[in-house]
Amino acid sequence: MASSADRRILWLDTETYSGTDLKAAGLFKYMEDPDFEILLLPFAWDDEPVRVLDLTDPVDREELPDIIAGLQDPDTIKVAHNSPFERSAYQRGFGFYQHPEEWEDTMILCAMNGLPLSLDAAGAALQLPIQKRKDGKALINYFCKPCKPTKANGGRTRNLPHHAPEKWERFKLYARDDVEVERLIHKKLGRFPVTDFERRIWALDARINERGVMVDTDLAQAAVAVDEAYSAELAEELLKLTGLENPNSVAQLKGWLEERGLFTESLDKEAVTGLLDRAVDPTTKRVLQLRQLLGKTSTKKYSAMLSAACSDGRVRGLTQYYGASRTGRWAGRLVQLQNLPQNHLEAIGDVRELVRSRDLETLEMIFPNVSDVLSQLIRTALVAKPGHTFLVADFSAIEARVTAYLAGEQWRLDVFAQGGDIYCSSASQMFHVPVEKHGVNKHLRQKGKVAELACGYGGGVNALKAFGADKMGLTEAEMQEIVDNWRAASPTIPRLWREAEQAAKAALEQPGKVTRMRCGVMFRRDAQALRCQLPSKRQLSYWDARIEDGSIVYMGQGGQGGGWMKKETWGGKLVENIVQAYARDCLAVAMDRLAAAGFQICFHVHDEVVAEAPAGTGWEEMARIMGQPIEWAPGLLLRADGYTTDFYMKD
């Protein structure tokens, strides 16, 4: 992030050893490993050459005091790529806390500029004269992780420098080049404007990740055990019904089904559902049901929690600041809180206790699908620490509110001002009849909801299908009518899509000139990217954006492999980015205010914040703070609802 010219910069990278798998267990559990050790500490002061301290060498260790002094000096700017790793490593290795406010991170600069997050992909995208070495991964696997004991290596479980001196010297070169690449990235992107507020949010995010949240390890372990026992029962029944040597084999099961007149190219979820509709005899139907039940993965997130839980029972590092570079939203890590299954169980606390006691027999008596029960309980494995409760508060329909606010769609703003149901109101506008959630024409509310989710950013029939409109029995003609009605009912929103596209194209056609939208969003094309400045002053970036054949294209990550490629955007997609980024900034303001008020935020998911507080504390003050006006969004009506709970769930 941008630095002051009169302060020294210390460029840093770190290579470490740990017996814990970093990818599976996460940063904080990795650092707790008793065998953790800093191996190499490459560094550079300002524009001086990079040097690599070999901390396995007593001579090199004599130079550590100078580095430690810099790390402890609040006036020294420390820079790394993915700085939480370095900060945690130095805290673990040297015994003192590294304040995030004193650090800058080239990975965050890359994210803010719409570039890949990894050092090697970012360096390649920027076409830097020095690139991350290709043999680095192999060297890390050799020196930084345990090795398998073999006769050839004498039965050892770890490779040390003297086991492969030539590799060790290459490892030093690799570490040196990482610092060179991060310094080049910083010099190329260092002038990107990072607001003081955003720096504060980045530091807040670091502390939220460091605090983490407690896991009910007894429940998680019990859920895994129940799932294993349940799956074994299902597999045994499937074996008896089919008589196959391996009923889990797709080829064998397809053959068994073909003997019964059911032909299929696949046995994926959608195909099995279709086969169930065609199956006639009870045995075939049951076999297909068993296939469905066995295909449901209900314990992976429990296992992820158990793998990442630190010695105090808390899992840390659950969110990635600026993980979604197109909007600046947070991304999930480890447990992936952003895609947890919803819970709809009655008496969910009692069901939790059945699982905790591993009472599979009772669970099977009550529920037709135990795997589904385990999935619905995943949230509840996150618990408040003893003597405390969770305060949960989330913004109500914030994307719909922001869209209406930016577009100036007055009837929608009136609905929010009056505390109405936007799905009912949308359906009323579309079909010109009164719609109430539990009353008149209530069947139309679902169509209003699907339309709201699918149509707000320019989606058509295919978008409706993605939200399940075809499964509601709607024909394509009916879906097209819904799209037309939705757009006719809210004409300022399609106008917002067109305005965004026109402003972006005008900026691309006249580099350096600022083009403004009526809502306060501004576009400008500088030497590197198309910049979209929000009212919060934060900028979204579309790297190397240009107009080709009348369309807006830019460079970004995409495809199955996440490669660096040309992508296309248009007005509806630009508005989606703007709205989600705007809502993200509202959440950031809310979290900043909550932290200032003393709320201990454990994690946040989408537009929801979860804090830990002494038992008996109410959620109302938290929701009140979240609903306060924001200076750069005058007139935007924010509302937060909430509840308290000892274990996390959707109320």
Side-chain angles (χ1 to χ4, degrees):
M1 298 180 187
S3 59
S4 302
D6 57 346
R7 297 167 63 189
R8 292 197 76 187
I9 298 178
L10 180 57
W11 311 95
L12 294 155
D13 187 54
T14 316
E15 302 299 340
T16 61
Y17 175 86
S18 174
T20 298
D21 186 324
L22 177 62
K23 185 175 181 180
L27 171 64
F28 295 92
K29 183 77 171 283
Y30 175 91
M31 294 292 172
E32 274 193 350
D33 191 284
D35 292 330
F36 173 85
E37 179 185 357
I38 298 176
L39 302 175
L40 300 176
L41 203 165
F43 72 96
W45 288 98
D46 298 320
D47 292 325
E48 295 174 7
V50 177
R51 297 183 57 207
V52 180
L53 291 188
D54 179 352
L55 298 193
T56 69
D57 184 340
V59 176
D60 275 14
R61 291 188 68 88
E62 292 177 3
E63 299 188 51
L64 260 181
D66 185 43
I67 301 300
I68 289 176
L71 290 171
Q72 293 181 305
D73 178 12
D75 290 326
T76 295
I77 299 170
K78 279 73 76 170
V79 184
H81 197 86
N82 189 23
S83 62
F85 187 90
E86 270 64 36
R87 290 178 49 247
S88 297
Y90 302 148
Q91 180 175 348
R92 172 76 166 83
F94 304 143
F96 52 84
Y97 182 69
Q98 288 291 284
H99 296 276
E101 292 85 354
E102 298 174 13
W103 282 73
E104 295 184 7
D105 195 323
T106 49
M107 186 175 76
I108 302 306
L109 274 178
C110 288
M112 289 180 169
N113 281 274
L115 292 161
L117 299 189
S118 69
L119 189 65
D120 54 345
L126 289 169
Q127 299 180 326
L128 299 178
I130 298 176
Q131 296 286 324
K132 189 178 177 76
R133 289 177 178 251
K134 301 299 183 184
D135 60 350
K137 185 175 181 180
L139 293 169
I140 287 173
N141 287 336
Y142 188 83
F143 288 114
C144 300
K145 301 177 182 180
C147 65
K148 184 177 180 179
T150 64
K151 287 185 178 180
N153 68 16
R156 67 174 183 266
T157 58
R158 180 179 173 184
N159 296 315
L160 296 171
H162 69 268
H163 292 131
E166 291 184 4
K167 284 186 178 181
W168 186 249
E169 291 306 312
R170 293 208 313 273
F171 195 30
K172 290 181 182 179
L173 294 176
Y174 164 80
R176 180 202 66 190
D177 285 358
D178 274 7
V179 175
E180 293 282 17
V181 172
E182 80 180 30
R183 181 159 60 178
L184 287 171
I185 289 174
H186 192 278
K187 289 183 181 299
K188 194 169 185 67
L189 305 178
R191 292 185 180 181
F192 182 81
V194 182
T195 65
D196 291 340
F197 174 79
E198 208 55 45
R199 286 190 59 85
R200 193 160 75 242
I201 294 302
W202 179 62
L204 172 62
D205 169 81
R207 292 192 164 89
I208 291 172
N209 273 317
E210 290 164 4
R211 179 177 299 124
V213 61
M214 183 163 286
V215 173
D216 185 338
T217 53
D218 288 342
L219 175 65
Q221 291 167 350
V224 172
V226 167
D227 186 68
E228 289 175 351
Y230 182 59
S231 297
E233 284 187 5
L234 298 178
E236 184 178 356
E237 183 182 356
L238 186 60
L239 184 64
K240 289 180 179 178
L241 289 175
T242 61
L244 296 172
E245 182 180 345
N246 178 16
N248 288 324
S249 165
V250 172
Q252 289 185 34
L253 189 55
K254 282 171 65 177
W256 187 89
L257 290 168
E258 287 171 5
E259 291 175 2
R260 284 149 184 81
L262 292 176
F263 296 86
T264 180
E265 293 295 323
S266 168
L267 284 177
D268 61 18
K269 181 179 178 181
E270 187 174 345
V272 172
T273 300
L275 289 170
L276 266 168
D277 292 336
R278 292 158 49 197
V280 177
D281 67 283
T283 299
T284 304
K285 281 185 175 290
R286 181 56 181 165
V287 166
L288 290 168
Q289 289 169 351
L290 290 169
R291 174 74 185 182
Q292 282 185 324
L293 293 171
L294 284 167
K296 186 170 181 61
T297 55
S298 56
T299 59
K300 284 187 176 180
K301 288 187 183 292
Y302 291 113
S303 298
M305 292 178 190
L306 292 170
S307 295
C310 296
S311 58
D312 61 356
R314 297 180 81 89
V315 58
R316 297 173 167 86
L318 292 174
T319 56
Q320 170 66 59
Y321 171 82
Y322 236 100
S325 61
R326 197 62 52 227
T327 62
R329 280 183 158 184
W330 281 265
R333 294 292 182 263
L334 297 176
V335 182
Q336 294 295 343
L337 298 178
Q338 275 75 359
N339 62 1
L340 293 176
Q342 291 191 1
N343 56 268
H344 303 286
L345 295 168
E346 298 290 336
I348 193 169
D350 294 336
V351 181
R352 285 180 88 250
E353 291 309 310
L354 285 175
V355 173
R356 281 171 65 88
S357 62
R358 309 188 184 202
D359 189 350
L360 176 58
E361 182 178 357
T362 303
L363 287 166
E364 287 181 304
M365 289 174 59
I366 300 173
F367 302 103
N369 186 343
V370 175
S371 293
D372 181 63
V373 171
L374 297 176
S375 291
Q376 292 193 53
L377 290 180
I378 289 171
R379 292 174 185 267
T380 73
L382 301 176
V383 296
K385 65 184 180 182
H388 288 68
T389 189
F390 281 146
L391 310 180
V392 185
D394 73 322
F395 284 123
S396 173
I398 189 168
E399 284 193 38
R401 289 171 184 265
V402 170
T403 302
Y405 172 78
L406 295 177
E409 191 58 69
Q410 191 57 49
W411 73 263
R412 289 173 169 272
L413 297 173
D414 292 341
V415 170
F416 293 124
Q418 296 160 12
D421 185 313
I422 189 61
Y423 302 140
C424 288
S425 299
S426 182
S428 296
Q429 289 285 333
M430 288 163 56
F431 301 109
H432 308 293
V433 294
V435 179
E436 297 175 7
K437 187 173 184 179
H438 301 293
V440 181
N441 297 312
K442 61 183 180 182
H443 65 286
L444 293 176
R445 182 182 184 271
Q446 185 62 22
K447 293 183 179 180
K449 182 175 182 179
V450 170
E452 286 297 307
L453 296 172
C455 300
Y457 304 129
V461 170
N462 287 335
L464 285 170
K465 288 181 179 179
F467 283 98
D470 51 343
K471 295 178 177 61
M472 294 168 56
L474 293 169
T475 65
E476 290 208 2
E478 289 172 324
M479 285 187 264
Q480 186 60 57
E481 183 181 8
I482 287 176
V483 172
D484 295 339
N485 288 344
W486 189 94
R487 294 181 181 182
S490 301
T492 65
I493 296 177
R495 187 176 69 192
L496 185 68
W497 308 333
R498 294 190 294 271
E499 186 185 1
E501 184 165 341
Q502 289 165 1
K505 285 183 174 179
L508 290 171
E509 289 166 350
Q510 302 176 71
K513 182 179 179 180
V514 175
T515 58
R516 302 172 185 270
M517 296 175 63
R518 281 171 292 186
C519 61
V521 173
M522 297 183 288
F523 287 91
R524 180 177 63 87
R525 175 60 156 99
D526 62 22
Q528 298 169 324
L530 174 67
R531 312 293 187 181
C532 174
Q533 182 169 302
L534 305 169
S536 64
K537 305 303 182 186
R538 187 166 66 89
Q539 294 188 19
L540 310 181
S541 300
Y542 300 84
W543 194 261
D544 193 24
R546 56 202 180 278
I547 298 175
E548 285 187 3
D549 299 324
S551 299
I552 300 171
V553 298
Y554 64 96
M555 297 301 293
Q557 285 186 293
Q560 290 186 340
W564 190 241
M565 59 186 289
K566 184 166 67 175
K567 305 185 75 175
E568 186 176 332
T569 191
W570 68 288
K573 192 65 178 177
L574 289 170
V575 168
E576 180 180 15
N577 294 164
I578 291 167
V579 168
Q580 292 183 351
Y582 206 106
R584 177 268 187 204
D585 289 350
C586 291
L587 178 68
V589 169
M591 291 199 303
D592 184 54
R593 290 172 173 173
L594 290 170
F599 287 93
Q600 300 293 297
I601 301 172
C602 292
F603 61 94
H604 50 96
V605 184
H606 300 307
D607 305 312
E608 177 183 74
V609 182
V610 181
E612 205 170 43
T617 307
W619 57 268
E620 291 80 5
E621 177 62 10
M622 187 168 163
R624 186 192 69 80
I625 290 173
M626 290 178 68
Q628 289 177 339
I630 296 175
E631 181 182 3
W632 44 259
L636 174 61
L637 297 176
L638 294 173
R639 174 185 164 188
D641 297 313
Y643 55 96
T644 61
T645 178
D646 294 335
F647 48 79
Y648 182 49
M649 63 176 182
K650 286 304 254 185
D651 188 32

